[in-house]
Amino acid sequence: MNTGSDEPGEVAVVPDEAETGEGPADDGLGSRAPEFVKQRRALHLSWQVGVFVIGLAVVAAGIVMLPLPGPGWVVIFGGMAIWATEFVWAQLVLRWTKRKVTEAAQKALDPKVRRRNITLTVIGLVIIGVLAGIYLWKFGVVAPWRIKDQ
């Protein structure tokens, strides 16, 4: 075992979690179940199963809403937040997602990126306007299904 020292008789001491500011006491990871639920293993397991099933139902509803009308991504992240009340892996996924969304928002506020996005939007709108103008010049204001063979 390497204690980090060449001196014989020295022992490595691991600082307390409260002293380092790291670990479960400070990072907010872990179960947020009430204490009386955590104290009883069977009740805590039942609690975790219930949270998982409810979170799964919400995530599944969000997935269904992706192709259908509805706030699919919002519901999916809501289901992840339900899971994050009990499961560390979901808490880590939410932290990663929040970090990436924050980075994307800050990047979008960068003047160079904003200028590029505005330029691309204007170019796209001009192209759509030109195509609409060509259509109206050629066919007039007539629905496409009423165009007669020429």
Side-chain angles (χ1 to χ4, degrees), residues 22-143:
E22 298 174 2
D26 227 9
D27 62 6
L29 295 177
S31 175
R32 292 190 178 95
E35 287 302 319
F36 75 92
V37 171
K38 290 181 190 177
Q39 291 172 354
R40 292 164 185 84
R41 180 149 173 80
L43 187 58
H44 192 230
L45 186 61
S46 300
W47 180 275
Q48 286 180 327
V49 168
V51 167
F52 183 79
V53 168
I54 292 170
L56 184 64
V58 172
V59 168
I63 291 171
V64 167
M65 287 183 202
L66 287 175
L68 300 176
W73 285 110
V74 173
V75 175
I76 289 172
F77 289 125
M80 289 297 297
I82 291 171
W83 278 338
T85 62
E86 196 58 35
F87 303 107
V88 173
W89 60 268
Q91 293 168 358
L92 295 174
V93 168
L94 278 180
R95 281 185 182 180
W96 179 84
T97 304
K98 286 178 185 177
R99 188 174 60 248
K100 291 298 180 184
V101 166
T102 303
E103 289 172 6
Q106 288 179 352
K107 186 176 180 182
L109 293 176
D110 179 32
K112 289 181 183 178
V113 175
R114 287 188 68 194
R115 203 172 308 121
R116 183 198 67 202
N117 290 345
I118 290 172
T119 303
L120 290 175
T121 302
V122 168
I123 290 171
L125 289 174
V126 166
I127 290 172
I128 290 172
V130 167
L131 292 175
I134 292 171
Y135 176 83
L136 290 175
W137 174 67
K138 178 125 173 109
F139 300 109
V141 184
V142 178

